[in-house]
Amino acid sequence: MIRPLGDRVVVKQVPSEEVTKSGIVLPDTAKEKPQQGEVVAVGSGRLLDSGQRVAIDLKVGDKILFSKYSGNEVKIDDVEYLILREMDILGIIV
Amino acid sequence: MIRPLGDRVVVKQVPSEEVTKSGIVLPDTAKEKPQQGEVVAVGSGRLLDSGQRVAIDLKVGDKILFSKYSGNEVKIDDVEYLILREMDILGIIV
Amino acid sequence: MIRPLGDRVVVKQVPSEEVTKSGIVLPDTAKEKPQQGEVVAVGSGRLLDSGQRVAIDLKVGDKILFSKYSGNEVKIDDVEYLILREMDILGIIV
Amino acid sequence: MIRPLGDRVVVKQVPSEEVTKSGIVLPDTAKEKPQQGEVVAVGSGRLLDSGQRVAIDLKVGDKILFSKYSGNEVKIDDVEYLILREMDILGIIV
Amino acid sequence: MIRPLGDRVVVKQVPSEEVTKSGIVLPDTAKEKPQQGEVVAVGSGRLLDSGQRVAIDLKVGDKILFSKYSGNEVKIDDVEYLILREMDILGIIV
Amino acid sequence: MIRPLGDRVVVKQVPSEEVTKSGIVLPDTAKEKPQQGEVVAVGSGRLLDSGQRVAIDLKVGDKILFSKYSGNEVKIDDVEYLILREMDILGIIV
Amino acid sequence: MIRPLGDRVVVKQVPSEEVTKSGIVLPDTAKEKPQQGEVVAVGSGRLLDSGQRVAIDLKVGDKILFSKYSGNEVKIDDVEYLILREMDILGIIV
């Protein structure tokens, strides 16, 4: 497993053509479309200039939307993951 | 539904050719034209370097103007939404 | 009407070929020429990293000069307005 | 008259081919050459992130040198002025 | 040996075609793929604007993933190392 | 004479082909070569975001090295000067 | 001699084809290769926005690695030196 550093999270990507249980389907237009994923690991949070560490507003299991083209891919035990920064995550599907 | 992170809001876009009840019509000139929408979800706010979280100056139901070409599109139960940052929102129609 | 957010103001533009009562005429040279307008609404002010909100140094009715090509146009009840950031406003005609 | 905002000053430009009483002549080389002017109005000063307003280190009547290509031109009662930021002003001729 | 300065670490690179004991294999896609390495030296940490020095969240022996194309190569006693900044390190393989 | 503003200094340039008494000759290679000069006036110093003014670490008469292509030229009583920012000054010849 | 300003150091460069006593040889690959040098003078340190001056984490005599293409060359008494910023120095050979 990977422990992400700082403001990073590890995300298991859900293919964008897949329809989730909550019924979200991504539209097919010219605008940038977000991608879906599930959080599998969360870093210790962003460090402010004041020296304060701010916990990431996400927990393992959260279903998220994130910006396409963001993050770094990695494969662990034949499963593909993405390492994303908190700022690349748009919202949580609730 | 989507819970937006940080300084983001979820907005239901109003097509720009549509005339709203308040009578705003967008002009047809060379300058960048704002788009209209209605706020459906509001994030926890922007985090300052001091560690202070600043609530977004918007609430669900606000009719807003935002910069064209900003935000990420997402479709939920066949309705299109935009996830915008607070800084992309110009003002509230009151 | 529009309530501008943060450091933004709503301005009723005065066409640049028009001569105002204070006698200001904009020159016809190669340099960037400012535009004139009248403030019709003022946001709550810029938020500093310290968390302090700083009131905009303008009030409704102020005649202002602002940088050309700045701001977003919007038409309300057939009147054209601009939504500008405080930083795009050069000065007040007094 | 114009009251400049923030860290801006209004300057009456002195044509660069003119020789001032203090005997400064601008050289004719490839490097960027400063321009001369006289301060006619001074803004309230730059606002620091700490919330402190810092008075501009200039007063009306100061003869200044400023970077070419900086500022915005404006004509008042047939006299041309420039609205400059304090950072574009190199020094005071004393 | 090298003592890295500030927020830098010295890393012994593991060739990306090599499969580690933890079973991580890097995928062969278009996205940027992270590289693997082992930390051999850690700097004193990043200096915040507040004057606080923040220890690097890594220790000698950590197996890490880092962004491709980051860092500076150096060879010591015929072994190749990379000098990376903490921000280029994505996570720790645990 | 010129009183430089803020973090600026006025420098009397020494032609780079000239050999100074301290025996420094500038090499003729591809890398950027510094220029020599003598400080003739010093500004009040850089203003930090905390509101503190930091005196420039230079005094009138200092022989300095500065980055080529930096600063603004000005001629006073037929002598050429440069107005430089403190950050463009590499060191003092002692 | 040169007294470097702020966060700068003066370094006597060691040609990169030379093998030092500590046995470091620089590899011949496509990645950016660091250069070696010896510190001969150290500035007073970087000034933080808080007004605190932070001593450079280097002393005269330190053998260092620094990024290629960084710094300014200068020749003193026929010896070539480089003036580098602390941020361009990767580590100390110990």
Side-chain angles (χ1 to χ4, degrees), chain A residues 39-52:
Chain A
V39 174
V40 297
V42 175
S44 57
R46 182 157 69 97
L47 187 69
L48 301 180
D49 270 347
S50 63
Q52 186 184 339

Side-chain angles (χ1 to χ4, degrees), chain E residues 77, chain G residues 18-24 36 63 93:
Chain E
D77 298 333
Chain G
E18 198 178 84
V19 180
T20 68
K21 278 187 293 186
S22 69
I24 293 181
Q36 293 187 51
K63 305 286 185 293
I93 304 171

